[in-house]
Amino acid sequence: MGIEGIGASVVRKEDKRFITGAGRYVDDMVVPGMKHAFFVRSPYAHADIKKIDVKAALAMPGVIDVLSGKQLKADGIGNLICGWMVHSKDGSPMKMGAWSPLAVDRVRYVGDAVAIVVADTKGQARDAAEAVEITYKERKAVTSAVDAVKKGAPQIHPEADNNLIFDWDLGDEAATDKAFSKAAHVVKLDIVNNRLVPNAMEPRAALGHYDKAEDHYTCWTTSQNPHVARLVMSAFYNVAPENKLRVIAPDVGGGFGSKIYIYPEEIVCLWASKKTGVPVKWVGDRTESFLTDAHGRDHDTHAEMAFDKNHKIIGLKVQTKANLGAYMSLFSSATPTYLYATLLSGQYDIPAIHANVKAIYTNTAPVDAYRGAGRPEATFVMERLMETAAREFGVSPAELRRKNFIKSFPHQTPVIMCYDAGDFAVSLDAALKASDYAGFEKRRTKAKKAGKLRGIGMSCYIEACGIAPSAAVGSLGAGVGLWESAEVRVNAVGTIEVLTGSHSHGQGHETTFAQLVSGRFGLPMEQISIIHGDTDKVQMGMGTYGSRSGAVGMSAIVKALDKVEAKAKKIAAHVLEADEKDIVIENGTLKVAGTDKTVPWFQMALAAYTAHNLPAGMEPGLKEGAFYDPANFTFPAGCYICEVEVDPETGHTSIVQFVAADDFGNIINPMIVEGQVHGGVAQGIGQALLEGAFYDPDTGQLLTASYMDYTMPRAEDLPSFQISTSVTPSPSNPLGIKGCGEAGAIGSPPAVINAITDAIGTNELTMPATPQKVWAACRSVKN
């Protein structure tokens, strides 16, 4: 692999173990004496628990114990919490209903955990779970946020009257109303952002082990941020003291945000291990993933955009009802507020914006951040409005956007965010050229002769990544800081270990982080190891989500490398009898600039540890740590153009072309970035065309609880993507990185829907745009 620095398309180091089946996941972990767990879950969306009879289950072969919520509460285990406080516009705090890891008196969604069975084998635990007899008194359920706040709707939590969690405002309502009063044109749209199931390749899993001899707990879990899991489980859930709890997140098979949170299963497995005296392992099946993983999106929005007579945007009003499900998950309150409404300016210079968000309980799985987390919802609102406006005005969608672009930076929006750098016209021009936008009408005419409807749609997105700074988010209600940590250990033979608080679950950190070090010191990639995911090995960190690993995680590594380099130069200068200002590092060698005096990297490292000849007063060793708290978010942006062909006889939509032009700032590994964009766009196309979680409105049963009913995109649903990038470095971190992990999922859904509605000739089409919906829309327009 050799020496590979920033900007090289290096093949991922970690892929060898994955493609050869040598990855180590929670399901692979085995502890002596380990037993298996199965959760008894509610078959009802809303019901009172009247009685739990475990006698028959306890008598079954291999069963060690059956534990319930009352036992858990008797042992002092706390309720799950939401870690970001949001206040309503009247100043009252959000209404957080109690969420016990095992339900005690009432269940609130299908899949709510009621009891845990521990047995010798998973099969025995599953069989015994079926023998647990629970008497329920069913209540009426409600699954729609719109319906949940209507008079007479079932009351889900006593803490939240009318199921309203908070009623939150952002922006200047008076200024926005004034702008609308002067408008020459107002564009209005009702928008549904459909509920999604994350569907990571690896289902969630947990292995809890209480060591009685050491009075110590270990939890192996599928987590994107093991340090936060340890903090929350010790400080809020009373599972174990933090100094006696080790959390390990080994290889994790994807997360997309769904593995950020602490779920009931981790808590219960640790508690059950102490209760039963045996290590307890639970591995969820795919049905449990559908039922209980935090879902994404689920917004109902009414939006209006005001324009002057020259088609300049002068105001924006957005009213959103956000369905948060039956309980408030860890970051659920931030997703439809500070991660959504703060991006409603998009790429546009809008002087007045007012957003109102009502967060609402329903009898459905909890909803939280899912790839993009609020930014896809904001982009969908903005880009559907812009496309609709262009059609109503009879102007080019590209030129309407260009006219309204922000053109000077930094730019303070009316909704908190200050965009630090960007050049939106560059991405627009690149996408227009790559898609042959000017030649589209010829292609439309040709398709029409073949009986097909051809359409083209555009989306100009912006997102906020590397959520920061800690003081700012703290003032907005965040319960944790959002810095990152790193430690760089140079061993006595010169090899390097980088310990990072970031967590990799598909992003390629073992490669890109090693590239950073390799390029800095001129060392082969093979001599650099990246260590993460174990709270006993790595200093506390904040984990991976929100495209923060590069902008925040790697910046922490840079700070630690700065300290290592400074000490290494001092040692080399002492050995070479030179001024440290004259020492340079090239190709794994420290040398005196302009001379032939050198010392190899490994020899310098050995000198640090033998300590026979160090500068006076210098400590032996070569190990440095750093914490990095970013000064601002980073703001990736871009332009996506989708071209589709619709068969009006069947409603089938084919994506015939997809162009993505992104600005991610400086790029570490172009190949990995391209892969991230491909994956994100595939997920966005899935949302636009195929995916949607739907509940029966009367019973609260999840109707899309398997791959038979929930349609994931396949290779045949996706075109060959045309990907390009431009570079406007971020001034907010030392590497100029912006982040790339979520962009594809943010920018693609509106581009797809804009293309389909252009083909059909309507603005009324909700996601997912299934063949049935598209066929009906074609008939509606024809009539």
Side-chain angles (χ1 to χ4, degrees):
M1 191 168 282
I3 300 169
E4 300 287 359
I6 292 174
S9 289
V10 183
V11 174
R12 299 192 342 163
K13 292 173 64 176
E14 50 268 68
D15 282 352
K16 181 178 180 180
R17 72 174 184 273
F18 294 142
I19 63 177
T20 58
R24 300 192 70 217
Y25 301 87
V26 174
D27 192 29
D28 297 313
M29 302 302 162
V30 177
V31 176
M34 182 182 79
K35 306 301 179 182
H36 297 267
F38 195 86
F39 282 86
V40 181
R41 300 187 183 277
S42 170
Y44 298 106
H46 200 192
D48 294 325
I49 301 171
K50 307 304 289 185
K51 182 182 178 182
I52 300 177
D53 188 343
V54 302
K55 290 178 184 177
L58 284 171
M60 294 185 71
V63 173
I64 294 171
D65 210 345
V66 181
L67 303 171
S68 67
K70 288 185 178 179
Q71 292 168 285
L72 180 133
K73 287 301 171 188
D75 286 347
I77 303 299
N79 292 327
L80 282 83
I81 62 164
C82 176
W84 194 303
M85 173 56 72
V86 169
H87 289 79
S88 290
K89 58 188 179 183
D90 65 2
S92 61
M94 65 190 188
K95 307 303 189 291
M96 187 161 54
W99 184 8
S100 174
L102 291 175
V104 178
D105 300 313
R106 190 189 296 188
V107 291
R108 293 178 169 86
Y109 73 102
V110 173
D112 214 346
V114 179
I116 181 174
V117 178
V118 181
D120 290 336
T121 69
K122 187 173 182 179
Q124 290 172 331
R126 184 190 295 270
D127 290 343
E130 293 180 0
V132 175
E133 296 182 10
I134 303 176
T135 303
Y136 294 98
K137 182 181 179 181
E138 193 172 1
R139 290 171 171 261
K140 288 184 178 180
V142 62
T143 61
S144 157
V146 173
D147 293 337
V149 290
K150 290 179 179 177
K151 185 177 180 180
Q155 181 73 32
I156 297 171
H157 288 278
E159 297 87 348
D161 289 340
N162 299 318
N163 301 313
L164 184 64
I165 301 169
F166 55 76
D167 184 354
W168 178 86
D169 272 8
L170 185 66
D172 189 329
E173 185 174 12
T176 306
D177 286 342
K178 185 176 180 180
F180 269 76
S181 70
K182 298 178 180 178
H185 311 277
V186 175
V187 176
K188 301 179 181 181
L189 212 54
D190 289 312
I191 295 168
V192 174
N193 208 289
N194 44 327
R195 178 182 283 240
L196 302 174
V197 180
N199 278 310
M201 284 194 296
E202 177 198 26
R204 289 188 297 110
L207 167 56
H209 180 204
Y210 174 67
D211 185 334
K212 185 177 181 180
E214 299 290 337
D215 188 27
H216 186 272
Y217 299 76
T218 303
C219 179
W220 288 265
T221 180
T222 49
S223 175
Q224 296 177 217
N225 52 357
H227 289 278
V228 174
R230 183 176 77 154
L231 170 66
V232 173
M233 284 196 287
S234 61
F236 297 100
Y237 305 151
N238 304 318
V239 175
E242 191 173 13
N243 64 316
K244 295 186 176 184
L245 174 59
R246 179 184 186 184
V247 177
I248 303 170
D251 288 330
V252 173
F256 311 121
S258 70
K259 294 176 182 173
I260 299 172
Y261 324 112
I262 293 84
Y263 288 90
E265 291 84 4
E266 293 100 320
I267 300 167
V268 175
C269 284
L270 281 168
W271 168 71
S273 177
K274 184 174 184 179
K275 198 79 172 170
T276 60
V278 297
V280 175
K281 181 179 183 179
W282 166 78
V283 178
D285 59 30
R286 188 57 65 179
T287 298
E288 287 179 293
S289 294
F290 274 99
L291 290 175
T292 68
D293 288 3
H295 290 177
R297 319 291 192 240
D298 206 343
H299 284 193
D300 279 270
T301 296
H302 176 75
E304 300 183 9
M305 187 176 280
F307 292 82
D308 67 15
K309 62 181 180 180
N310 297 315
H311 300 158
K312 290 280 287 182
I313 307 170
I314 59 173
L316 174 69
K317 292 180 181 179
V318 176
Q319 296 175 317
T320 293
K321 291 182 175 68
N323 187 343
L324 295 193
Y327 303 104
M328 294 193 75
S329 180
L330 191 63
F331 288 139
S332 59
S333 58
T335 303
T337 54
Y338 295 109
L339 298 179
Y340 164 65
T342 55
L343 272 297
L344 285 172
S345 192
Q347 295 188 7
Y348 311 112
D349 187 358
I350 306 176
I353 299 174
H354 177 250
N356 173 257
V357 176
K358 293 179 174 66
I360 298 161
Y361 285 122
T362 64
N363 295 116
T364 62
V367 175
D368 211 318
Y370 170 64
R371 195 172 192 172
R375 288 97 82 198
E377 296 92 313
T379 298
F380 196 77
V381 169
M382 294 303 295
E383 293 308 295
R384 289 289 291 121
L385 281 171
M386 290 301 287
E387 202 84 0
T388 302
R391 293 170 189 172
E392 290 187 8
F393 301 157
V395 300
S396 161
E399 296 314 309
L400 180 64
R401 288 173 168 87
R402 191 191 303 275
K403 175 179 285 190
N404 285 282
F405 278 161
I406 296 161
K407 297 179 177 66
S408 63
F409 296 88
H411 174 84
Q412 179 62 57
T413 74
V415 280
I416 296 180
M417 293 298 181
C418 181
Y419 302 161
D420 51 15
D423 192 339
F424 306 143
V426 169
S427 294
L428 174 63
D429 290 339
L432 291 173
K433 182 178 179 181
S435 64
D436 184 22
Y437 196 80
F440 168 72
E441 289 302 330
K442 290 182 180 179
R443 300 192 295 277
R444 191 202 293 268
T445 300
K446 183 178 179 181
K448 188 175 182 180
K449 291 179 181 178
K452 301 295 175 65
L453 303 175
R454 205 167 180 105
I456 195 164
M458 180 181 294
S459 169
C460 292
Y461 78 90
I462 188 168
E463 59 164 325
C465 294
I467 185 170
S470 294
V473 298
S475 71
L476 299 176
V480 294
L482 291 169
W483 42 266
E484 196 47 86
S485 68
E487 184 179 308
V488 176
R489 299 175 180 173
V490 181
N491 298 317
V493 294
T495 57
I496 294 179
E497 298 169 2
V498 176
L499 291 81
T500 173
S502 299
H503 187 277
S504 180
H505 41 281
Q507 294 88 344
H509 295 171
E510 292 173 42
T511 303
T512 54
F513 288 14
Q515 281 182 253
L516 180 63
V517 181
S518 177
R520 182 75 173 262
F521 297 141
L523 300 175
M525 295 271 283
E526 293 82 359
Q527 294 183 19
I528 303 160
S529 298
I530 309 300
I531 300 166
H532 64 92
D534 186 336
T535 62
D536 269 16
K537 290 182 179 180
V538 180
Q539 68 291 329
M540 186 173 178
M542 287 295 109
T544 293
Y545 40 86
S547 302
R548 71 191 308 269
S549 295
V552 187
M554 292 184 80
S555 292
I557 296 172
V558 167
K559 289 187 68 176
L561 291 175
D562 290 343
K563 297 176 183 179
V564 167
E565 181 176 327
K567 186 171 182 179
K569 286 182 175 179
K570 283 184 171 67
I571 296 170
H574 182 75
V575 170
L576 297 171
E577 299 180 339
D579 190 321
E580 66 184 79
K581 293 180 181 177
D582 296 329
I583 301 296
V584 295
I585 304 176
E586 294 178 358
N587 298 320
T589 300
L590 296 98
K591 66 180 185 179
V592 182
T595 74
D596 59 358
K597 297 173 68 175
T598 65
V599 59
W601 178 266
F602 78 88
Q603 190 172 321
M604 177 279 302
L606 187 62
Y609 286 93
T610 58
H612 295 163
N613 183 23
L614 292 178
M618 177 178 281
E619 293 180 355
L622 189 51
K623 179 183 76 170
E624 299 289 348
F627 289 77
Y628 177 74
D629 198 353
N632 192 5
F633 290 82
T634 63
F635 297 97
C639 179
Y640 291 178
I641 295 178
C642 176
E643 191 168 329
V644 302
E645 200 165 76
V646 172
D647 185 339
E649 298 305 315
T650 65
H652 181 264
T653 299
S654 299
I655 298 177
V656 295
Q657 179 179 243
F658 198 100
V659 169
D662 297 288
D663 178 357
F664 297 135
N666 292 330
I667 291 174
I668 303 298
N669 187 314
M671 182 182 66
I672 289 178
V673 168
E674 185 170 341
Q676 289 276 9
V677 174
H678 283 193
V681 171
Q683 280 184 273
I685 290 173
Q687 175 175 9
L689 293 182
L690 303 165
E691 297 182 52
F694 296 97
Y695 286 86
D696 183 287
D698 297 319
T699 66
Q701 294 292 330
L702 181 62
L703 302 176
T704 51
S706 76
Y707 288 133
M708 294 293 289
D709 306 295
Y710 187 96
T711 311
M712 297 279 281
R714 300 182 179 184
E716 65 182 10
D717 298 309
L718 306 172
S720 293
F721 306 121
Q722 297 182 59
I723 306 295
S724 68
T725 55
S726 57
V727 177
T728 308
S730 170
S732 300
N733 62 74
L735 289 167
I737 292 173
K738 291 185 177 181
C740 68
E742 298 164 287
I746 293 169
S748 54
V752 174
I753 298 300
N754 285 340
I756 298 173
T757 54
D758 177 57
I760 298 171
T762 179
N763 289 320
E764 305 298 325
L765 186 67
T766 59
M767 296 187 291
T770 60
Q772 182 182 12
K773 283 186 186 177
V774 173
W775 181 87
C778 290
R779 293 297 172 278
S780 176
V781 171
K782 186 180 291 186
N783 294 334

